Amino acid sequence: MKDRKQRRGNERNNPKRSNRGKEYSKELETSEVEENNFVFGHHASVEALQAGRGNKLFIQEDAHGDKINQLKSLAKEQAVPVKWVPKQKLDTLSDGGVHQGIVLGITPYEYLTLEDLLAKTTSEEAPFLLILDSLEDPHNFGSILRTADASGVSGVIIPKHRSVGITPVVTKASTGAVEYVPIARVTNLAQSIKQLKDAGYWIFGTDMEGTDYRQWTVTGPIALIIGNEGKGMSAGLKKEVDEMLTIPMTGYVQSLNAGVAAGLLMYEVFRKRSEL
């Protein structure tokens, strides 16, 4: 690994953004806030209700069964009003998603700051954080959150701009894991990584060339960067990495889906840190 102190002395991080970039970021942020008003599907709705985020439950007018009864009971406990509506109404609210006859109006998702996330992990001997570098596919994000919850990841960090946030599709793909995995949203990933280093974290990235992930040393506080689905890790973040990891492949297609790669690496940490 490189000498961290020497690298920090040579660092320069003074990004400039065009007005067009700022406008795009503002539009993306606004659209995410609007989308966050609803989640759909049974699991996502149950978890959101149990987390106290529901404010109105919409159920398809001809729906019935144990799952519907469970939701009605949860809504009653949380003093959330229930409205029976036609399927077309649910199609509109879920933007054509697979809603299973259930849509829940919710309060906006409350992201943590990086400081909040670090405070949550202070009691852990060896916290493990994921840093998602401009992930765009909500299904990938939801899948990663689901695996993060299952494998004991301490928290996830995402950038505020040009990245998918907590949308209804992400929530449904995570099968409710979004309510359990702490998520911090930050303005500048590079600056956040420097804060993590100051807090004692080792930073790992993923690339075609690097240390075989099976030789990965996972002791102490660590953070793993998962790159964008198409472009991989940004050049700026590569400069901040302490060690690159690679996943050996023998097939003709020399790349893995971001969610699959992240899942494999999360469970490698889980495997190495768990006693049989």
Side-chain angles (χ1 to χ4, degrees), residues 78 123 145 152 242 255:
Q78 299 287 337
S123 61
L145 290 175
D242 292 311
S255 64

PDB file of all heavy atoms in Angstrom, residues 78 123 145 152 242 255:
ATOM      1  N   GLN A  78     -50.154   2.319  13.281  1.00  0.00           N
ATOM      2  CA  GLN A  78     -49.405   3.547  13.033  1.00  0.00           C
ATOM      3  C   GLN A  78     -50.312   4.749  12.757  1.00  0.00           C
ATOM      4  O   GLN A  78     -49.814   5.830  12.419  1.00  0.00           O
ATOM      5  CB  GLN A  78     -48.460   3.346  11.831  1.00  0.00           C
ATOM      6  CG  GLN A  78     -47.416   2.259  12.023  1.00  0.00           C
ATOM      7  CD  GLN A  78     -46.326   2.680  12.977  1.00  0.00           C
ATOM      8  OE1 GLN A  78     -46.084   3.865  13.182  1.00  0.00           O
ATOM      9  NE2 GLN A  78     -45.648   1.716  13.585  1.00  0.00           N
ATOM     10  N   SER A 123     -19.106   2.266  17.857  1.00  0.00           N
ATOM     11  CA  SER A 123     -19.150   1.124  18.772  1.00  0.00           C
ATOM     12  C   SER A 123     -18.662  -0.166  18.115  1.00  0.00           C
ATOM     13  O   SER A 123     -18.461  -1.176  18.796  1.00  0.00           O
ATOM     14  CB  SER A 123     -20.575   0.916  19.301  1.00  0.00           C
ATOM     15  OG  SER A 123     -21.463   0.645  18.236  1.00  0.00           O
ATOM     16  N   LEU A 145     -28.132  -2.935  -1.506  1.00  0.00           N
ATOM     17  CA  LEU A 145     -28.622  -2.675  -0.149  1.00  0.00           C
ATOM     18  C   LEU A 145     -29.138  -3.957   0.504  1.00  0.00           C
ATOM     19  O   LEU A 145     -28.922  -4.191   1.698  1.00  0.00           O
ATOM     20  CB  LEU A 145     -29.733  -1.625  -0.186  1.00  0.00           C
ATOM     21  CG  LEU A 145     -29.304  -0.201  -0.527  1.00  0.00           C
ATOM     22  CD1 LEU A 145     -30.528   0.709  -0.655  1.00  0.00           C
ATOM     23  CD2 LEU A 145     -28.348   0.346   0.528  1.00  0.00           C
ATOM     24  N   GLY A 152     -24.093  -7.751   6.852  1.00  0.00           N
ATOM     25  CA  GLY A 152     -23.637  -6.980   7.998  1.00  0.00           C
ATOM     26  C   GLY A 152     -22.808  -5.756   7.684  1.00  0.00           C
ATOM     27  O   GLY A 152     -21.992  -5.327   8.512  1.00  0.00           O
ATOM     28  N   ASP A 242      -6.154   3.011  -1.289  1.00  0.00           N
ATOM     29  CA  ASP A 242      -4.963   2.416  -0.687  1.00  0.00           C
ATOM     30  C   ASP A 242      -4.562   1.135  -1.402  1.00  0.00           C
ATOM     31  O   ASP A 242      -3.381   0.828  -1.535  1.00  0.00           O
ATOM     32  CB  ASP A 242      -5.212   2.122   0.797  1.00  0.00           C
ATOM     33  CG  ASP A 242      -5.350   3.398   1.626  1.00  0.00           C
ATOM     34  OD1 ASP A 242      -4.492   4.277   1.495  1.00  0.00           O
ATOM     35  OD2 ASP A 242      -6.320   3.505   2.386  1.00  0.00           O
ATOM     36  N   SER A 255     -16.105  -8.690 -17.303  1.00  0.00           N
ATOM     37  CA  SER A 255     -16.693  -7.715 -16.380  1.00  0.00           C
ATOM     38  C   SER A 255     -17.880  -8.353 -15.695  1.00  0.00           C
ATOM     39  O   SER A 255     -18.498  -9.273 -16.220  1.00  0.00           O
ATOM     40  CB  SER A 255     -17.134  -6.438 -17.120  1.00  0.00           C
ATOM     41  OG  SER A 255     -18.169  -6.723 -18.037  1.00  0.00           O
TER      42      SER A 255
END
